[in-house]
Amino acid sequence: EPEVTQTPSHQVTQMGQEVILRCVPISNHLYFYWYRQILGQKVEFLVSFYNNEISEKSEIFDDQFSVERPDGSNFTLKIRSTKLEDSAMYFCASRLVHERIDNEQFFGPGTRLTVL
Amino acid sequence: SQQGEEDPQALSIQEGENATMNCSYKTSINNLQWYRQNSGRGLVHLILIRSNEREKHSGRLRVTLDTSKKSSSLLITASRAADTASYFCATDARDNYGQNFVFGPGTRLSVLP
């Protein structure tokens, strides 16, 4: 069964460093998402991406964040200068269809980012 | 306004009992989905219920949706210790072009053997 994959599973970085989190969505899916979950808290939407551009972003997704689909398979989230509060689990998700009535999102296993 | 608020926040039951978790939301939705998350792990999709559906079953799971009350419930019957996890509802707002999900804070279910 096709699945969303994410690498690395755990990333440790120093405050102020840049990190790139990688995702490979399901191959024929059209919409891509990043969410984050601070430990013990709820899952929060960061950004959605469709047709090679951001379609929506939350207040969390400030200038320190960027997303890219550098090729036909990868979808990346870059944090330019990490802060302690960026420590969280980051989930990538993808969705096949455009119609809103059936938009099951498939989530990857997550990348745990620890900023020291 | 917040979408997808679950209650209770934590639920502890004995193996074999049924577990019911509730979710309330504020805006009109296209569908509502329930996810499960084992501690520190990824999100596993359990079930999707469309806005024009009232009830859906999948194995030991039963989900109801009441759009007039803007609420949903997830029932796990004959619970097992392996059902111990956090359960989240997620909604998409009807006028949300990007169609991202809004997750509630989750219900932490503990099933005791």
Side-chain angles (χ1 to χ4, degrees):
Chain A
E1 188 174 324
E3 57 184 16
V4 177
T5 59
Q6 290 185 243
T7 55
S9 57
H10 192 186
Q11 172 97 41
V12 181
T13 189
Q14 294 289 326
M15 191 169 60
Q17 295 294 305
E18 173 184 288
V19 294
I20 297 176
L21 310 182
R22 302 181 193 281
C23 168
V24 179
I26 295 173
S27 63
N28 58 342
H29 283 194
L30 302 177
Y31 283 81
F32 314 113
Y33 304 82
W34 283 102
Y35 293 81
R36 79 169 186 193
Q37 184 183 33
I38 295 171
L39 186 64
Q41 298 187 23
K42 61 180 174 182
V43 178
E44 300 172 291
F45 166 72
L46 292 178
V47 66
S48 59
F49 193 86
Y50 170 71
N51 200 25
N52 283 321
E53 60 182 19
I54 290 173
S55 56
E56 188 162 357
K57 58 184 180 179
S58 71
E59 292 175 354
I60 303 167
F61 194 87
D62 61 22
D63 292 344
Q64 292 299 311
F65 291 88
S66 62
V67 288
E68 200 176 34
R69 188 154 162 82
D71 53 44
S73 60
N74 290 284
F75 179 51
T76 62
L77 174 69
K78 182 193 289 186
I79 309 175
R80 267 182 265 282
S81 177
T82 50
K83 309 183 193 77
L84 295 176
E85 54 264 36
D86 293 328
S87 294
M89 183 78 96
Y90 288 80
F91 293 105
C92 173
S94 71
R95 178 168 61 82
L96 171 63
V97 297
H98 176 68
E99 286 75 23
R100 296 177 182 182
I101 197 70
D102 253 348
N103 63 342
E104 177 185 343
Q105 292 189 9
F106 292 82
F107 283 80
T111 292
R112 181 169 297 285
L113 175 66
T114 302
V115 182
L116 303 176
Chain B
S1 62
Q2 283 200 340
Q3 290 275 75
E5 297 287 334
E6 292 97 336
D7 76 88
Q9 291 186 345
L11 179 62
S12 188
I13 59 173
Q14 293 292 323
E15 208 165 23
E17 293 180 339
N18 295 342
T20 299
M21 290 160 271
N22 302 299
C23 168
S24 61
Y25 57 92
K26 294 198 185 321
T27 66
S28 296
I29 61 171
N30 298 297
N31 61 59
L32 183 145
Q33 307 191 30
W34 284 90
Y35 287 84
R36 166 199 165 116
Q37 184 182 36
N38 284 27
S39 180
R41 306 290 294 275
L43 294 161
V44 175
H45 181 263
L46 295 177
I47 198 163
L48 177 154
I49 186 164
R50 301 187 185 107
S51 59
N52 61 354
E53 296 176 315
R54 292 296 166 258
E55 188 171 309
K56 205 157 182 181
H57 297 255
S58 177
R60 293 184 297 113
L61 305 180
R62 174 176 167 255
V63 168
T64 62
L65 179 65
D66 187 336
T67 53
S68 66
K69 295 181 180 176
K70 291 188 167 59
S71 68
S72 173
S73 68
L74 170 67
L75 168 68
I76 304 175
T77 60
S79 63
R80 306 166 183 164
D83 294 328
T84 295
S86 289
Y87 292 83
F88 297 89
C89 71
T91 56
D92 70 322
R94 187 174 293 276
D95 60 353
N96 183 343
Y97 177 76
Q99 300 178 58
N100 57 281
F101 286 169
V102 177
F103 284 81
T107 293
R108 291 186 309 281
L109 175 66
S110 298
V111 181
L112 307 173

